[in-house]
């Protein structure tokens, strides 16, 4: 059944579990509703690919709470009237009823989805954070909470090395032909005196040089460098002379070691 709670809840779970594909741990409730409705009401868009302005019109219709086909047609006529550059081709005309049908179907699902979200929250099959109006899959919520706990512990841990800003400045000056960049020096000082640091900057701002100073101060033998891709890991290794791995490779190695404790690691 298209409107069955089982189908709608499965779609909600799918949307939340795939939030990471867009770089998110959660979606706000309103976003979850829209994405789930679009998933449930999706149809073959092959006929829409060559239609001019179709994405703009689709977005425009989506923002309108249309309830009937005739209301949808009136809104489309209003939109086309306001956008004189639109070529009202036969292809466009043939597509409009399909678009309106899709939007009506999506709007019809919104209330059903909201009802199912309430049930899933009560059942604890999804997690709701009221402060941020955020919906999580339980797996991603647990991962985020555990990550936060690890970060808090790290921040509260005293670093193995402690240096004053002057000591760092003297070191940087000694290893950069006497040229000292105050921002880079501050970044190195922060990193060696903190268990967790974030260093950002555009191309050519000195991230690589800063990292080299940090590695030399900490000691390369005490560092494990990780990167999201193999290419990035290789580049880090070449630039810093320190072994680097992909994050996925490390996770695989740790999981393997946990499942095979009797096999020595290399």
């Amino acid at each position: 059944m298209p409107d069955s709670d089982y189908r709608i809840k499965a779609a909600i779970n799918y949307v939340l579990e795939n939030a990471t594909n867009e770089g998110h741990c959660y979606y706000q409730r309103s976003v979850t509703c829209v994405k789930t409705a679009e998933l449930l009401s999706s149809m073959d868009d092959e006929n829409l690919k060559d239609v001019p302005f179709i994405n703009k019109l689709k977005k425009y219709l989506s923002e309108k709470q249309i309830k009937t086909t005739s209301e949808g047609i009136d809104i489309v006529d209003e939109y086309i009237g306001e956008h004189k550059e639109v070529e009202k081709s036969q292809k466009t005309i043939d597509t409009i009823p399909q678009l309106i049908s899709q939007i009506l179907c999506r709007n019809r699902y919104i209330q059903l989805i909201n009802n199912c979200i309430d049930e899933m929250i009560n059942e604890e099959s999804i997690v709701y954070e009221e402060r941020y109006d955020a919906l999580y899959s339980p797996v991603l919520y647990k991962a985020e909470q555990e990550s936060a706990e690890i970060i808090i512990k790290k921040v509260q841990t005293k670093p193995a090395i402690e240096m004053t800003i002057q000591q760092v400045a003297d070191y940087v000056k000694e290893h950069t032909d006497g040229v000292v960049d105050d921002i880079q020096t501050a970044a190195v000082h922060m990193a060696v005196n903190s268990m967790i640091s974030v260093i950002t900057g555009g191309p050519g701002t000195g991230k690589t040089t800063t990292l080299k100073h940090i590695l030399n101060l900490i000691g390369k033998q005490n560092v494990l460098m990780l990167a999201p891709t193999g290419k990035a890991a290789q580049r880090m290794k070449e630039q810093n002379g320190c072994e680097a791995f992909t994050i996925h490779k490390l996770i695989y190695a740790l999981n393997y070691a946990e499942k095979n404790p009797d096999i020595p690691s290399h």
Side-chain angles (χ1 to χ4, degrees):
M1 293 287 291
D3 294 347
S4 75
D5 287 355
Y6 180 84
R7 177 173 178 263
I8 293 171
K9 288 179 180 179
I12 293 168
N13 276 326
Y14 177 85
V15 167
L16 292 178
E17 287 169 4
N18 283 273
T20 52
N21 293 341
E22 295 185 8
H24 306 299
C25 288
Y26 69 85
Y27 284 132
Q28 289 187 310
R29 182 168 182 148
S30 58
V31 175
T32 305
C33 284
V34 170
K35 285 185 173 291
T36 305
E38 287 175 348
L39 176 64
L40 291 167
S41 63
S42 61
M43 59 184 176
D44 184 6
D45 281 344
E46 283 301 313
N47 294 328
L48 310 185
K49 285 185 177 178
D50 299 325
V51 180
F53 84 98
I54 206 64
N55 287 330
K56 290 182 180 179
L57 178 56
K58 192 173 182 178
K59 184 175 185 293
Y60 184 81
L61 279 169
S62 296
E63 292 167 352
K64 303 290 184 179
Q65 294 300 312
I66 58 175
K67 296 179 174 62
T68 64
T69 301
S70 60
E71 185 180 347
I73 291 172
D74 289 342
I75 290 173
V76 171
D77 286 341
E78 176 187 317
Y79 179 89
I80 293 175
E82 292 174 357
H83 298 74
K84 303 297 183 183
E85 76 279 6
V86 172
E87 180 185 347
K88 199 170 181 181
S89 65
Q90 187 61 43
K91 183 80 169 174
T92 302
I93 294 169
D94 292 343
T95 302
I96 288 172
Q98 190 180 10
L99 264 179
I100 293 171
S101 175
Q102 187 175 4
I103 300 302
L104 284 170
C105 186
R106 196 208 70 166
N107 290 348
R108 180 175 61 83
Y109 272 119
I110 294 293
Q111 187 56 53
L112 296 172
I113 292 166
N114 267 311
N115 293 341
C116 284
I117 285 174
D118 288 335
E119 289 180 15
M120 293 173 78
I121 293 170
N122 292 332
E123 296 165 356
E124 298 185 352
S125 57
I126 59 175
V127 180
Y128 180 59
E129 276 280 7
E130 189 173 357
R131 287 177 298 171
Y132 310 111
D133 191 34
L135 290 170
Y136 293 80
S137 75
V139 172
L140 289 177
Y141 183 78
K142 184 171 183 284
E144 187 176 79
Q145 293 299 304
E146 290 178 350
S147 297
E149 289 170 7
I150 292 169
I151 290 171
I152 290 169
K153 288 179 182 176
K154 286 284 187 184
V155 168
Q156 295 172 343
T157 302
K158 188 176 180 180
I161 300 174
E162 289 185 284
M163 298 180 70
T164 66
I165 188 71
Q166 188 58 52
Q167 287 174 319
V168 172
D170 291 342
Y171 173 86
V172 172
K173 185 176 181 179
E174 182 184 343
H175 290 80
T176 52
D177 300 322
V179 179
V180 179
D181 183 293
D182 291 341
I183 295 176
Q184 287 184 18
T185 301
V188 175
H189 177 256
M190 174 191 68
V192 298
N193 287 279
S194 308
M195 293 298 290
I196 292 180
S197 303
V198 178
I199 298 172
T200 63
T205 55
K207 296 187 299 297
T208 300
T209 302
T210 301
L211 180 57
K212 284 180 180 178
H213 291 322
I214 294 168
L215 290 172
N216 289 331
L217 281 167
I218 294 174
K220 293 181 180 180
Q221 71 276 9
N222 301 317
V223 175
L224 177 63
M225 293 202 303
L226 300 175
T229 66
K231 186 176 181 180
Q234 182 62 32
R235 188 163 179 269
M236 287 174 68
K237 180 179 178 180
E238 291 170 354
Q239 290 176 331
N240 299 290
C242 185
E243 195 64 47
F245 304 93
T246 62
I247 297 170
H248 288 84
K249 186 174 182 179
L250 178 66
I251 292 172
Y252 175 82
L254 292 174
N255 287 338
Y256 185 85
E258 185 179 346
K259 293 176 182 177
N260 301 274
D262 298 331
I263 298 177
S265 58
H266 299 282

